[in-house]
Amino acid sequence: MKKIYLDNAATTPTLPEVVEAMNPFFFEKFGNPSSSCSYGREANSAIEEARGLIANFINAKKEEIYFTSGGTESNNFALKGVAFANKQKKHIITTATEHHAILEPCKFLESLGYEVTYLPVDKYGLVNLEDLENAITDQTFLISVMHANNEIGTIQPIYEIGKLAKERKILFHTDAVQSFGHLEIDVEKMNIDLLSASSHKLYGPKGVGLIYIRKGTKINSLLHGGDQENKKRASTQNTAGIVGFAKAVEIAKTEMAKEALKLTKLREMLIKGILSNIEDTTLNGHPVLRLPNNVNICFEFIEGESILLNLDMMGICSSTGSACNSSKLVSSHVLLAIGISPELAHSSIRFTLGKFTTKEDIEYLIQILPKVIKKLREMSPLYVKG
């Protein structure tokens, strides 16, 4: 059976070049990077080389990059670390469409007495800058807005948000897990003070990520027990993972622009193929300001879970939303936030393309999908033809 992977927002395959770069650090160069012996020095040198390469990728300083276990840890580090280091102020601003790795730490901080404003978004998922400015108080110490949404792909006006935050002397954090390695990021031009990223979203290994922390930012550590990562994040570093992350970034630096053009063409082909061949369908997210690889569609009268399972049986892997929440049969908070009803939100499917997606893959999906939708709608008591 032909197998097509269209769930790249959940995770990407690790590139062979990345695995090759990592291999020596499992068997030959396996030393603890905190050790003083030659094995340890060799591992530490590899980490520092990776740190410099990744810093250069986003126009940061080498000492501003701290390696973590992934995006969730980085997001928790940013929000809790800054909150605990700035106890004189108690107000955070974020959005209603953030990943749960932002929303849950915010809820935790609320339980400790912090106030969080969850900004609404428009029908495309975009934040209104006037709403943001109006939400700022003399207690606001942090603004956290994701760069690009993991479910609907909408890209936020990060430059403008960063400029506003800088003018008001408020720290600005962005969850760049979906955009890192896929969209251009310059932490200086964007006035970003903290940034989260994850290796496995750009063809690197799982279990490794980073947080960028602008020099001079007051932030407390979450993990204590050692002096690793400039005394900011205790725990023996994942040397092989960090080396693999850096290799994935190195590849992205040379291929990102070309890949974005390719994926945008395939994305538009898929959107047109679905909307023109299947009635009662809706594209979710911004039609232009969206990730090159993201297609999120609602199919009225049927459950997204049924579509997903039927496509999976035909070799097509997709998603009903965030992979971190896919086991819960609840309406997507992102779709609800952009004004979609709970019933319609349950009918959504997210197709996320990747480096290995081909035109033939998209053509096959466009051929198969209408038959799946037709079959499921004929079984649905909600569907009235015409």
Side-chain angles (χ1 to χ4, degrees), residues 16-248:
E17 304 97 306
V18 171
V19 175
E20 185 179 353
M22 294 170 65
N23 269 335
F25 296 91
F26 291 112
F27 304 107
E28 302 158 24
K29 306 176 182 182
F30 55 83
N32 187 319
S34 295
S35 297
S36 299
C37 69
S38 60
Y39 281 86
R41 294 196 303 271
E42 191 172 38
N44 185 66
S45 176
I47 288 174
E48 293 311 309
E49 184 179 344
R51 198 186 310 276
L53 188 152
I54 293 174
N56 179 263
F57 183 61
I58 57 172
N59 194 24
K61 298 179 180 67
K62 181 178 176 180
E63 61 271 22
E64 295 174 323
I65 300 296
Y66 299 86
F67 292 112
T68 67
S69 63
T72 295
E73 183 191 334
S74 296
N75 283 337
N76 275 263
F77 192 174
L79 270 64
K80 296 175 187 175
V82 169
F84 297 158
N86 296 271
K87 291 184 178 179
Q88 71 279 14
K89 293 188 176 183
K90 294 286 185 178
H91 183 229
I92 297 170
I93 299 173
T94 188
T95 80
T97 55
E98 297 295 309
H99 191 280
H100 287 285
I102 292 292
L103 297 179
E104 291 302 319
C106 282
K107 287 181 183 177
F108 172 74
L109 290 171
E110 284 182 295
S111 75
L112 299 181
Y114 289 85
E115 180 187 354
V116 181
T117 296
Y118 300 92
L119 294 173
V121 293
D122 66 14
K123 66 179 182 179
Y124 298 123
L126 285 172
V127 168
N128 184 299
L129 291 171
E130 190 174 331
D131 288 344
L132 172 58
E133 187 163 17
N134 290 337
I136 295 171
T137 73
D138 60 2
Q139 286 291 304
T140 308
F141 65 89
L142 178 66
I143 295 169
S144 181
V145 178
M146 71 195 321
H147 190 185
N149 191 270
N150 54 300
E151 291 194 35
I152 59 175
T154 297
I155 300 169
Q156 297 291 355
I158 296 299
Y159 283 96
E160 292 82 358
I161 295 170
K163 182 173 182 289
L164 175 60
K166 185 178 181 181
E167 288 171 353
R168 301 297 291 269
K169 294 181 171 58
I170 298 167
L171 292 175
F172 174 42
H173 166 256
T174 188
D175 175 350
V177 166
Q178 287 294 330
S179 61
F180 195 90
H182 303 288
L183 300 178
E184 184 179 349
I185 296 173
D186 186 315
V187 293
E188 289 299 325
K189 289 180 181 178
M190 293 175 163
N191 294 303
I192 296 169
D193 297 300
L194 303 112
L195 176 146
S196 304
S198 185
S199 165
H200 75 103
K201 305 292 188 177
L202 62 144
Y203 310 99
K206 297 175 182 64
V208 61
L210 67 81
I211 180 170
Y212 156 76
I213 305 172
R214 183 181 293 278
K215 193 173 182 179
T217 300
K218 287 177 64 178
I219 187 167
N220 285 4
S221 298
L222 290 188
L223 301 180
H224 302 88
D227 291 340
Q228 294 91 348
E229 294 303 291
N230 198 23
K231 301 182 180 180
K232 283 282 198 297
R233 196 258 183 188
S235 189
T236 299
Q237 293 101 324
N238 176 1
T239 306
I242 290 167
V243 169
F245 192 0
K247 185 64 179 180

Side-chain angles (χ1 to χ4, degrees), residues 1-16:
M1 180 194 294
K2 183 180 179 68
K3 294 203 76 172
I4 298 173
Y5 183 74
L6 297 175
D7 197 18
N8 287 275
T11 194
T12 55
T14 306
L15 293 174

Side-chain angles (χ1 to χ4, degrees), residues 307-323:
I307 304 170
L308 184 151
L309 293 172
N310 274 265
L311 289 176
D312 196 45
M313 287 189 289
M314 304 188 81
I316 300 170
C317 180
S318 58
S319 168
T320 54
S322 169

